[in-house]
Amino acid sequence: MIISLEGSESAGKTTLAYTAPLPIVGFAFDLGIERALKGTMYKMFEGISIDIVPYDRSVIEPAPVTADITIYELPRPIQIDSNLVKGAKELWGYFLVRVVSALTNQRTKSVVIDTMTICRRIRADAYLQNLQEQAIAQKQPPRQQMIQIEYAATNDSIRDIWIMGASSKKNLIGIHHLTDERMERPNSK
């Protein structure tokens, strides 16, 4: 089953997602799991073993999932240079290895990505980081942003995760932040 949850901050999306069939492997891009699992609804998770795995890019292979809920913390890299992206490519690779492992693991019943909004941004940043590194290697000035057509690669990568989730016959829950929508001005014509 594929589920996409979208809503306001602190509306209970993450808490709801972690009530999916166990065992669950979660990916916490927004790092709101403490509030979700230990907040007002903490009794829902009593007696359930929870393993929170801090981000460590030196660990190549994911450890075997033994807890009822295993959550990988995936903090967005701090960008010190406002022109160059650093760390996004490494974070994307780390995530990709673990999400594929979770979706192909026979034991795992549910996969939670919190949030898909940030996941997509990380993928876009990883793509831009790669373009910047190529430009620097060729002694050219690095680009500061992607052009619109290049977002196809980012969108394809995210779509591949949804497709893999559907084909794996697991529960894949993607949580999204509400985003502003651009609309034409009323009475503009």
Side-chain angles (χ1 to χ4, degrees), residues 22-51:
L22 301 173
I24 298 171
V25 176
F27 299 94
F29 284 100
D30 82 343
L31 304 178
I33 52 174
E34 295 293 326
R35 182 182 67 234
L37 301 178
K38 297 177 182 175
T40 57
M41 304 299 284
Y42 72 94
K43 289 191 182 243
M44 295 173 64
F45 301 101
E46 285 182 343
I48 294 175
S49 62
I50 300 172
D51 184 17

PDB file of all heavy atoms in Angstrom, residues 22-51:
ATOM      1  N   LEU A  22       4.180  -3.436  11.721  1.00  0.00           N
ATOM      2  CA  LEU A  22       5.579  -3.640  12.123  1.00  0.00           C
ATOM      3  C   LEU A  22       6.159  -4.856  11.426  1.00  0.00           C
ATOM      4  O   LEU A  22       5.420  -5.755  11.063  1.00  0.00           O
ATOM      5  CB  LEU A  22       5.654  -3.824  13.636  1.00  0.00           C
ATOM      6  CG  LEU A  22       5.129  -2.674  14.491  1.00  0.00           C
ATOM      7  CD1 LEU A  22       5.122  -3.073  15.960  1.00  0.00           C
ATOM      8  CD2 LEU A  22       5.945  -1.415  14.293  1.00  0.00           C
ATOM      9  N   PRO A  23       7.471  -4.909  11.283  1.00  0.00           N
ATOM     10  CA  PRO A  23       8.481  -3.915  11.580  1.00  0.00           C
ATOM     11  C   PRO A  23       8.518  -2.807  10.522  1.00  0.00           C
ATOM     12  O   PRO A  23       8.220  -3.016   9.364  1.00  0.00           O
ATOM     13  CB  PRO A  23       9.790  -4.691  11.601  1.00  0.00           C
ATOM     14  CG  PRO A  23       9.525  -5.993  10.959  1.00  0.00           C
ATOM     15  CD  PRO A  23       8.057  -6.206  10.911  1.00  0.00           C
ATOM     16  N   ILE A  24       8.914  -1.626  11.013  1.00  0.00           N
ATOM     17  CA  ILE A  24       8.979  -0.413  10.191  1.00  0.00           C
ATOM     18  C   ILE A  24      10.425   0.043  10.100  1.00  0.00           C
ATOM     19  O   ILE A  24      11.157   0.014  11.085  1.00  0.00           O
ATOM     20  CB  ILE A  24       8.151   0.721  10.825  1.00  0.00           C
ATOM     21  CG1 ILE A  24       6.674   0.330  10.922  1.00  0.00           C
ATOM     22  CG2 ILE A  24       8.310   2.020  10.049  1.00  0.00           C
ATOM     23  CD1 ILE A  24       5.833   1.316  11.726  1.00  0.00           C
ATOM     24  N   VAL A  25      10.821   0.474   8.908  1.00  0.00           N
ATOM     25  CA  VAL A  25      12.090   1.178   8.732  1.00  0.00           C
ATOM     26  C   VAL A  25      11.727   2.588   8.297  1.00  0.00           C
ATOM     27  O   VAL A  25      10.998   2.778   7.323  1.00  0.00           O
ATOM     28  CB  VAL A  25      13.003   0.506   7.690  1.00  0.00           C
ATOM     29  CG1 VAL A  25      14.267   1.330   7.469  1.00  0.00           C
ATOM     30  CG2 VAL A  25      13.374  -0.904   8.136  1.00  0.00           C
ATOM     31  N   GLY A  26      12.202   3.570   9.067  1.00  0.00           N
ATOM     32  CA  GLY A  26      11.882   4.966   8.787  1.00  0.00           C
ATOM     33  C   GLY A  26      13.113   5.766   8.437  1.00  0.00           C
ATOM     34  O   GLY A  26      14.231   5.438   8.848  1.00  0.00           O
ATOM     35  N   PHE A  27      12.883   6.823   7.692  1.00  0.00           N
ATOM     36  CA  PHE A  27      13.946   7.730   7.274  1.00  0.00           C
ATOM     37  C   PHE A  27      13.530   9.136   7.673  1.00  0.00           C
ATOM     38  O   PHE A  27      12.576   9.688   7.136  1.00  0.00           O
ATOM     39  CB  PHE A  27      14.178   7.614   5.767  1.00  0.00           C
ATOM     40  CG  PHE A  27      14.598   6.232   5.382  1.00  0.00           C
ATOM     41  CD1 PHE A  27      13.665   5.291   4.974  1.00  0.00           C
ATOM     42  CD2 PHE A  27      15.925   5.846   5.478  1.00  0.00           C
ATOM     43  CE1 PHE A  27      14.043   3.997   4.661  1.00  0.00           C
ATOM     44  CE2 PHE A  27      16.317   4.552   5.166  1.00  0.00           C
ATOM     45  CZ  PHE A  27      15.372   3.627   4.759  1.00  0.00           C
ATOM     46  N   ALA A  28      14.236   9.686   8.661  1.00  0.00           N
ATOM     47  CA  ALA A  28      13.855  10.966   9.263  1.00  0.00           C
ATOM     48  C   ALA A  28      14.712  12.090   8.703  1.00  0.00           C
ATOM     49  O   ALA A  28      15.771  12.399   9.223  1.00  0.00           O
ATOM     50  CB  ALA A  28      13.993  10.886  10.776  1.00  0.00           C
ATOM     51  N   PHE A  29      14.232  12.705   7.621  1.00  0.00           N
ATOM     52  CA  PHE A  29      14.924  13.858   7.051  1.00  0.00           C
ATOM     53  C   PHE A  29      14.642  15.119   7.857  1.00  0.00           C
ATOM     54  O   PHE A  29      15.466  16.003   7.924  1.00  0.00           O
ATOM     55  CB  PHE A  29      14.497  14.082   5.598  1.00  0.00           C
ATOM     56  CG  PHE A  29      15.108  13.122   4.624  1.00  0.00           C
ATOM     57  CD1 PHE A  29      14.385  12.030   4.177  1.00  0.00           C
ATOM     58  CD2 PHE A  29      16.393  13.303   4.149  1.00  0.00           C
ATOM     59  CE1 PHE A  29      14.935  11.145   3.268  1.00  0.00           C
ATOM     60  CE2 PHE A  29      16.950  12.425   3.243  1.00  0.00           C
ATOM     61  CZ  PHE A  29      16.224  11.336   2.803  1.00  0.00           C
ATOM     62  N   ASP A  30      13.450  15.214   8.442  1.00  0.00           N
ATOM     63  CA  ASP A  30      13.124  16.453   9.158  1.00  0.00           C
ATOM     64  C   ASP A  30      13.384  16.359  10.656  1.00  0.00           C
ATOM     65  O   ASP A  30      13.226  17.321  11.375  1.00  0.00           O
ATOM     66  CB  ASP A  30      11.697  16.904   8.862  1.00  0.00           C
ATOM     67  CG  ASP A  30      10.643  16.213   9.693  1.00  0.00           C
ATOM     68  OD1 ASP A  30      10.922  15.169  10.284  1.00  0.00           O
ATOM     69  OD2 ASP A  30       9.514  16.732   9.731  1.00  0.00           O
ATOM     70  N   LEU A  31      13.785  15.205  11.131  1.00  0.00           N
ATOM     71  CA  LEU A  31      14.202  14.988  12.519  1.00  0.00           C
ATOM     72  C   LEU A  31      13.117  15.351  13.533  1.00  0.00           C
ATOM     73  O   LEU A  31      13.412  15.799  14.636  1.00  0.00           O
ATOM     74  CB  LEU A  31      15.502  15.745  12.819  1.00  0.00           C
ATOM     75  CG  LEU A  31      16.683  15.417  11.886  1.00  0.00           C
ATOM     76  CD1 LEU A  31      17.894  16.248  12.237  1.00  0.00           C
ATOM     77  CD2 LEU A  31      17.018  13.940  11.914  1.00  0.00           C
ATOM     78  N   GLY A  32      11.851  15.120  13.205  1.00  0.00           N
ATOM     79  CA  GLY A  32      10.760  15.374  14.133  1.00  0.00           C
ATOM     80  C   GLY A  32      10.273  14.116  14.828  1.00  0.00           C
ATOM     81  O   GLY A  32       9.155  14.076  15.334  1.00  0.00           O
ATOM     82  N   ILE A  33      11.105  13.080  14.855  1.00  0.00           N
ATOM     83  CA  ILE A  33      10.655  11.789  15.376  1.00  0.00           C
ATOM     84  C   ILE A  33      10.500  11.770  16.891  1.00  0.00           C
ATOM     85  O   ILE A  33       9.649  11.050  17.403  1.00  0.00           O
ATOM     86  CB  ILE A  33      11.595  10.652  14.931  1.00  0.00           C
ATOM     87  CG1 ILE A  33      13.032  10.991  15.270  1.00  0.00           C
ATOM     88  CG2 ILE A  33      11.423  10.369  13.469  1.00  0.00           C
ATOM     89  CD1 ILE A  33      14.015   9.903  15.001  1.00  0.00           C
ATOM     90  N   GLU A  34      11.294  12.551  17.605  1.00  0.00           N
ATOM     91  CA  GLU A  34      11.187  12.572  19.072  1.00  0.00           C
ATOM     92  C   GLU A  34       9.794  13.031  19.484  1.00  0.00           C
ATOM     93  O   GLU A  34       9.156  12.415  20.330  1.00  0.00           O
ATOM     94  CB  GLU A  34      12.263  13.480  19.686  1.00  0.00           C
ATOM     95  CG  GLU A  34      13.679  12.998  19.470  1.00  0.00           C
ATOM     96  CD  GLU A  34      13.984  11.705  20.206  1.00  0.00           C
ATOM     97  OE1 GLU A  34      13.452  11.494  21.315  1.00  0.00           O
ATOM     98  OE2 GLU A  34      14.774  10.906  19.679  1.00  0.00           O
ATOM     99  N   ARG A  35       9.324  14.103  18.880  1.00  0.00           N
ATOM    100  CA  ARG A  35       7.990  14.625  19.207  1.00  0.00           C
ATOM    101  C   ARG A  35       6.909  13.626  18.807  1.00  0.00           C
ATOM    102  O   ARG A  35       5.932  13.420  19.508  1.00  0.00           O
ATOM    103  CB  ARG A  35       7.784  15.970  18.504  1.00  0.00           C
ATOM    104  CG  ARG A  35       6.447  16.605  18.821  1.00  0.00           C
ATOM    105  CD  ARG A  35       6.234  17.922  18.089  1.00  0.00           C
ATOM    106  NE  ARG A  35       6.129  17.687  16.654  1.00  0.00           N
ATOM    107  CZ  ARG A  35       6.874  18.287  15.738  1.00  0.00           C
ATOM    108  NH1 ARG A  35       7.789  19.162  16.100  1.00  0.00           N
ATOM    109  NH2 ARG A  35       6.708  18.042  14.467  1.00  0.00           N
ATOM    110  N   ALA A  36       7.124  12.964  17.659  1.00  0.00           N
ATOM    111  CA  ALA A  36       6.109  12.035  17.154  1.00  0.00           C
ATOM    112  C   ALA A  36       5.993  10.783  18.019  1.00  0.00           C
ATOM    113  O   ALA A  36       4.896  10.295  18.259  1.00  0.00           O
ATOM    114  CB  ALA A  36       6.448  11.640  15.721  1.00  0.00           C
ATOM    115  N   LEU A  37       7.123  10.252  18.467  1.00  0.00           N
ATOM    116  CA  LEU A  37       7.107   8.997  19.220  1.00  0.00           C
ATOM    117  C   LEU A  37       7.034   9.185  20.733  1.00  0.00           C
ATOM    118  O   LEU A  37       6.643   8.260  21.442  1.00  0.00           O
ATOM    119  CB  LEU A  37       8.342   8.169  18.874  1.00  0.00           C
ATOM    120  CG  LEU A  37       8.506   7.789  17.394  1.00  0.00           C
ATOM    121  CD1 LEU A  37       9.794   7.019  17.195  1.00  0.00           C
ATOM    122  CD2 LEU A  37       7.315   7.003  16.898  1.00  0.00           C
ATOM    123  N   LYS A  38       7.446  10.354  21.218  1.00  0.00           N
ATOM    124  CA  LYS A  38       7.486  10.575  22.664  1.00  0.00           C
ATOM    125  C   LYS A  38       6.606  11.738  23.103  1.00  0.00           C
ATOM    126  O   LYS A  38       6.683  12.177  24.241  1.00  0.00           O
ATOM    127  CB  LYS A  38       8.929  10.819  23.102  1.00  0.00           C
ATOM    128  CG  LYS A  38       9.817   9.624  22.843  1.00  0.00           C
ATOM    129  CD  LYS A  38      11.244   9.883  23.215  1.00  0.00           C
ATOM    130  CE  LYS A  38      12.088   8.655  22.891  1.00  0.00           C
ATOM    131  NZ  LYS A  38      13.496   8.892  23.116  1.00  0.00           N
ATOM    132  N   GLY A  39       5.783  12.225  22.188  1.00  0.00           N
ATOM    133  CA  GLY A  39       4.896  13.345  22.498  1.00  0.00           C
ATOM    134  C   GLY A  39       3.627  12.873  23.175  1.00  0.00           C
ATOM    135  O   GLY A  39       3.615  11.893  23.927  1.00  0.00           O
ATOM    136  N   THR A  40       2.535  13.532  22.885  1.00  0.00           N
ATOM    137  CA  THR A  40       1.270  13.261  23.562  1.00  0.00           C
ATOM    138  C   THR A  40       0.735  11.853  23.296  1.00  0.00           C
ATOM    139  O   THR A  40      -0.027  11.323  24.101  1.00  0.00           O
ATOM    140  CB  THR A  40       0.201  14.287  23.152  1.00  0.00           C
ATOM    141  OG1 THR A  40       0.055  14.257  21.737  1.00  0.00           O
ATOM    142  CG2 THR A  40       0.583  15.687  23.601  1.00  0.00           C
ATOM    143  N   MET A  41       1.140  11.241  22.197  1.00  0.00           N
ATOM    144  CA  MET A  41       0.645   9.902  21.849  1.00  0.00           C
ATOM    145  C   MET A  41       1.662   8.804  22.194  1.00  0.00           C
ATOM    146  O   MET A  41       1.625   7.718  21.630  1.00  0.00           O
ATOM    147  CB  MET A  41       0.315   9.844  20.359  1.00  0.00           C
ATOM    148  CG  MET A  41      -0.678  10.908  19.904  1.00  0.00           C
ATOM    149  SD  MET A  41      -2.267  10.791  20.703  1.00  0.00           S
ATOM    150  CE  MET A  41      -2.965   9.432  19.845  1.00  0.00           C
ATOM    151  N   TYR A  42       2.563   9.068  23.142  1.00  0.00           N
ATOM    152  CA  TYR A  42       3.639   8.141  23.470  1.00  0.00           C
ATOM    153  C   TYR A  42       3.144   6.753  23.880  1.00  0.00           C
ATOM    154  O   TYR A  42       3.820   5.759  23.658  1.00  0.00           O
ATOM    155  CB  TYR A  42       4.549   8.719  24.560  1.00  0.00           C
ATOM    156  CG  TYR A  42       3.917   8.746  25.930  1.00  0.00           C
ATOM    157  CD1 TYR A  42       4.128   7.697  26.819  1.00  0.00           C
ATOM    158  CD2 TYR A  42       3.106   9.809  26.320  1.00  0.00           C
ATOM    159  CE1 TYR A  42       3.542   7.714  28.076  1.00  0.00           C
ATOM    160  CE2 TYR A  42       2.521   9.826  27.575  1.00  0.00           C
ATOM    161  CZ  TYR A  42       2.734   8.777  28.441  1.00  0.00           C
ATOM    162  OH  TYR A  42       2.154   8.788  29.678  1.00  0.00           O
ATOM    163  N   LYS A  43       1.965   6.659  24.456  1.00  0.00           N
ATOM    164  CA  LYS A  43       1.453   5.353  24.914  1.00  0.00           C
ATOM    165  C   LYS A  43       1.242   4.377  23.758  1.00  0.00           C
ATOM    166  O   LYS A  43       1.272   3.172  23.963  1.00  0.00           O
ATOM    167  CB  LYS A  43       0.160   5.533  25.700  1.00  0.00           C
ATOM    168  CG  LYS A  43       0.398   6.167  27.057  1.00  0.00           C
ATOM    169  CD  LYS A  43      -0.836   6.102  27.915  1.00  0.00           C
ATOM    170  CE  LYS A  43      -0.543   6.795  29.225  1.00  0.00           C
ATOM    171  NZ  LYS A  43      -0.613   5.966  30.360  1.00  0.00           N
ATOM    172  N   MET A  44       1.050   4.901  22.550  1.00  0.00           N
ATOM    173  CA  MET A  44       0.871   4.028  21.384  1.00  0.00           C
ATOM    174  C   MET A  44       2.129   3.209  21.105  1.00  0.00           C
ATOM    175  O   MET A  44       2.069   2.176  20.461  1.00  0.00           O
ATOM    176  CB  MET A  44       0.527   4.861  20.144  1.00  0.00           C
ATOM    177  CG  MET A  44      -0.803   5.564  20.240  1.00  0.00           C
ATOM    178  SD  MET A  44      -1.088   6.691  18.864  1.00  0.00           S
ATOM    179  CE  MET A  44      -1.125   5.571  17.505  1.00  0.00           C
ATOM    180  N   PHE A  45       3.268   3.695  21.584  1.00  0.00           N
ATOM    181  CA  PHE A  45       4.539   3.054  21.270  1.00  0.00           C
ATOM    182  C   PHE A  45       5.154   2.329  22.472  1.00  0.00           C
ATOM    183  O   PHE A  45       6.290   1.862  22.390  1.00  0.00           O
ATOM    184  CB  PHE A  45       5.508   4.097  20.707  1.00  0.00           C
ATOM    185  CG  PHE A  45       4.976   4.766  19.466  1.00  0.00           C
ATOM    186  CD1 PHE A  45       4.412   6.027  19.526  1.00  0.00           C
ATOM    187  CD2 PHE A  45       4.989   4.106  18.249  1.00  0.00           C
ATOM    188  CE1 PHE A  45       3.899   6.631  18.388  1.00  0.00           C
ATOM    189  CE2 PHE A  45       4.479   4.698  17.109  1.00  0.00           C
ATOM    190  CZ  PHE A  45       3.928   5.971  17.186  1.00  0.00           C
ATOM    191  N   GLU A  46       4.416   2.222  23.569  1.00  0.00           N
ATOM    192  CA  GLU A  46       4.916   1.487  24.731  1.00  0.00           C
ATOM    193  C   GLU A  46       5.026   0.006  24.385  1.00  0.00           C
ATOM    194  O   GLU A  46       4.143  -0.574  23.751  1.00  0.00           O
ATOM    195  CB  GLU A  46       3.988   1.685  25.928  1.00  0.00           C
ATOM    196  CG  GLU A  46       4.132   3.053  26.570  1.00  0.00           C
ATOM    197  CD  GLU A  46       3.244   3.221  27.796  1.00  0.00           C
ATOM    198  OE1 GLU A  46       2.296   2.437  27.980  1.00  0.00           O
ATOM    199  OE2 GLU A  46       3.509   4.157  28.569  1.00  0.00           O
ATOM    200  N   GLY A  47       6.131  -0.606  24.778  1.00  0.00           N
ATOM    201  CA  GLY A  47       6.351  -2.023  24.522  1.00  0.00           C
ATOM    202  C   GLY A  47       6.879  -2.322  23.132  1.00  0.00           C
ATOM    203  O   GLY A  47       7.093  -3.484  22.784  1.00  0.00           O
ATOM    204  N   ILE A  48       7.093  -1.302  22.333  1.00  0.00           N
ATOM    205  CA  ILE A  48       7.634  -1.482  20.974  1.00  0.00           C
ATOM    206  C   ILE A  48       9.103  -1.095  21.005  1.00  0.00           C
ATOM    207  O   ILE A  48       9.465  -0.030  21.514  1.00  0.00           O
ATOM    208  CB  ILE A  48       6.858  -0.603  19.963  1.00  0.00           C
ATOM    209  CG1 ILE A  48       5.419  -1.080  19.851  1.00  0.00           C
ATOM    210  CG2 ILE A  48       7.532  -0.600  18.607  1.00  0.00           C
ATOM    211  CD1 ILE A  48       4.538  -0.216  18.982  1.00  0.00           C
ATOM    212  N   SER A  49       9.965  -1.957  20.474  1.00  0.00           N
ATOM    213  CA  SER A  49      11.395  -1.637  20.452  1.00  0.00           C
ATOM    214  C   SER A  49      11.670  -0.662  19.311  1.00  0.00           C
ATOM    215  O   SER A  49      11.258  -0.877  18.179  1.00  0.00           O
ATOM    216  CB  SER A  49      12.236  -2.903  20.305  1.00  0.00           C
ATOM    217  OG  SER A  49      11.948  -3.557  19.091  1.00  0.00           O
ATOM    218  N   ILE A  50      12.346   0.430  19.667  1.00  0.00           N
ATOM    219  CA  ILE A  50      12.651   1.491  18.697  1.00  0.00           C
ATOM    220  C   ILE A  50      14.154   1.709  18.693  1.00  0.00           C
ATOM    221  O   ILE A  50      14.769   1.932  19.733  1.00  0.00           O
ATOM    222  CB  ILE A  50      11.916   2.801  19.051  1.00  0.00           C
ATOM    223  CG1 ILE A  50      10.401   2.565  19.051  1.00  0.00           C
ATOM    224  CG2 ILE A  50      12.296   3.907  18.076  1.00  0.00           C
ATOM    225  CD1 ILE A  50       9.583   3.736  19.565  1.00  0.00           C
ATOM    226  N   ASP A  51      14.746   1.656  17.504  1.00  0.00           N
ATOM    227  CA  ASP A  51      16.176   1.883  17.328  1.00  0.00           C
ATOM    228  C   ASP A  51      16.348   3.106  16.430  1.00  0.00           C
ATOM    229  O   ASP A  51      15.918   3.088  15.281  1.00  0.00           O
ATOM    230  CB  ASP A  51      16.830   0.650  16.692  1.00  0.00           C
ATOM    231  CG  ASP A  51      18.334   0.777  16.568  1.00  0.00           C
ATOM    232  OD1 ASP A  51      18.928   1.651  17.235  1.00  0.00           O
ATOM    233  OD2 ASP A  51      18.922   0.001  15.787  1.00  0.00           O
TER     234      ASP A  51
END
